[in-house]
Amino acid sequence: MAATRLELNLMRLLSRCEALAAERRDPEEWRLEKYVAALEDMLRELKKQSSKPAPELLNEYSRKVDFLKGLLEAEKLSSSTEKALANQFLAPGRTPTTAKERTPATKTVHLQTKARCTGQMRSELLGTVGLVLLLLCWYFTDCPCCLQLPRSDEKQSAVELDAVLQHHQDMQEKLAEEMLSLARSLKNNTLAAQNVIKQDNQTLSHSLRMADQNFEKLKDESDRLEQHAKKSVNWLLWIMLIVVCFIFISMILFIRIFPKLK
């Protein structure tokens, strides 16, 4: 579907805003803030249109506009540390705005801003370290010439600071590797426990099936034994009746054959 006039204007203004964001601007520069506000209005109008672009493209426009807005808010912060922290949470666009771009302009702006904030933090930290060294030198030597910090000391402090930062970075990488190793170990233990539980469940299910089968067999045998007991009682009753009848008849015959003596 062909892009509408509003979408083309949005793309042109977005490209212009990305170019302005990539440049070093004066603190009193107001154009980028106004352009971003206009981008928000145009994006809202574009979402209301019936012939609006695909949802993925709209999400990409929103992502870039939110990035520019967050970039302006981060620049208004006072300290470089807060600026660097705010820039960490910014999400640049994933696709280029124009066909001439090889990489997304917002991604380039994001990298430049992070590098600029890192440089400001390092400059502030170096200034603090230099001031501390200057005060220590003046305190211990009480020499006015120590108020001028030599360039070699400044370079040495910068090298030491880089070494400290590198050491902390190495420690963080080592800690991350240990956490990954612990996560893998926990995953393996979880999988092993899951397999053991699965096997126990299968064994329990088999035992329950065997118990049900044994119960059915026991019930059948109980019924057969009950029927057999009933049959045995019936035969014994008939035998007793026959014996009683035989005895009765025998007594009568005995009385008839052997009369009473006079």
Side-chain angles (χ1 to χ4, degrees):
M1 185 176 62
T4 60
R5 182 181 297 273
L6 181 60
E7 185 179 358
L8 292 175
N9 293 334
L10 175 66
M11 292 173 61
R12 294 193 187 98
L13 185 57
L14 184 58
S15 178
R16 177 58 179 164
C17 289
E18 290 173 350
L20 285 175
E23 299 174 356
R24 286 186 176 273
R25 301 182 307 278
D26 295 331
E28 298 179 357
E29 177 65 39
W30 54 270
R31 289 182 298 170
L32 183 58
E33 188 172 357
K34 296 295 182 182
Y35 289 168
V36 172
L39 279 175
E40 292 180 342
D41 296 336
M42 294 171 68
L43 185 60
R44 282 194 294 267
E45 292 295 330
L46 186 61
K47 290 180 179 179
K48 294 179 182 178
Q49 286 186 349
S50 57
S51 59
K52 57 185 178 182
E56 294 83 4
L57 194 55
L58 278 176
N59 292 334
E60 185 66 18
Y61 289 153
S62 301
R63 187 184 181 92
K64 292 180 179 179
V65 173
D66 292 340
F67 170 78
L68 293 172
K69 185 178 178 182
L71 187 65
L72 290 174
E73 293 177 354
E75 289 180 352
K76 294 178 181 179
L77 297 175
S78 58
S79 65
S80 58
T81 305
E82 294 177 349
K83 291 180 181 179
L85 184 60
N87 276 286
Q88 290 292 332
F89 294 99
L90 295 179
R94 297 188 179 93
T95 58
T97 305
T98 60
K100 297 179 181 180
E101 300 176 2
R102 293 185 179 180
T103 57
T106 51
K107 188 175 182 180
T108 305
V109 172
H110 191 210
L111 294 175
Q112 291 177 353
T113 307
K114 288 174 65 177
R116 193 179 303 124
C117 292
T118 305
Q120 291 177 0
M121 289 176 59
R122 179 170 295 184
S123 299
E124 292 179 0
L125 187 57
L126 285 175
T128 305
V129 171
L131 181 59
V132 171
L133 291 175
L134 179 65
L135 292 176
L136 288 175
C137 181
W138 177 78
Y139 178 77
F140 286 107
T141 61
D142 196 14
C143 180
C145 62
C146 293
L147 296 176
Q148 297 292 331
L149 188 65
R151 295 294 296 175
S152 59
D153 292 343
E154 184 178 354
K155 291 181 180 179
Q156 184 179 0
S157 62
V159 172
E160 292 177 355
L161 177 61
D162 291 336
V164 171
L165 293 176
Q166 185 65 34
H167 175 70
H168 284 291
Q169 185 176 359
D170 294 339
M171 292 294 293
Q172 290 177 357
E173 292 177 355
K174 185 177 179 181
L175 182 61
E177 291 177 358
E178 291 179 356
M179 291 179 66
L180 287 175
S181 177
L182 290 175
R184 293 193 191 97
S185 177
L186 181 61
K187 182 180 178 181
N188 294 332
N189 293 335
T190 304
L191 292 176
Q194 185 178 359
N195 292 330
V196 171
I197 293 173
K198 187 177 180 180
Q199 293 177 359
D200 291 343
N201 289 333
Q202 292 177 355
T203 304
L204 182 60
S205 301
H206 180 70
S207 300
L208 290 175
R209 286 196 298 269
M210 293 295 296
D212 293 337
Q213 293 176 2
N214 293 334
F215 179 74
E216 293 294 334
K217 290 181 181 180
L218 182 61
K219 186 177 180 181
D220 295 338
E221 294 297 330
S222 298
D223 295 337
R224 289 176 58 186
L225 181 62
E226 186 177 359
Q227 293 176 2
H228 183 69
K230 289 180 180 179
K231 289 180 181 179
S232 300
V233 171
N234 291 335
W235 282 107
L236 183 62
L237 181 61
W238 283 107
I239 292 173
M240 289 178 65
L241 287 174
I242 292 172
V243 169
V244 169
C245 292
F246 178 75
I247 294 173
F248 181 72
I249 295 172
S250 299
M251 289 297 294
I252 293 175
L253 291 175
F254 182 78
I255 293 171
R256 293 287 186 182
I257 296 172
F258 300 98
K260 184 176 180 182
L261 294 178
K262 295 180 178 179

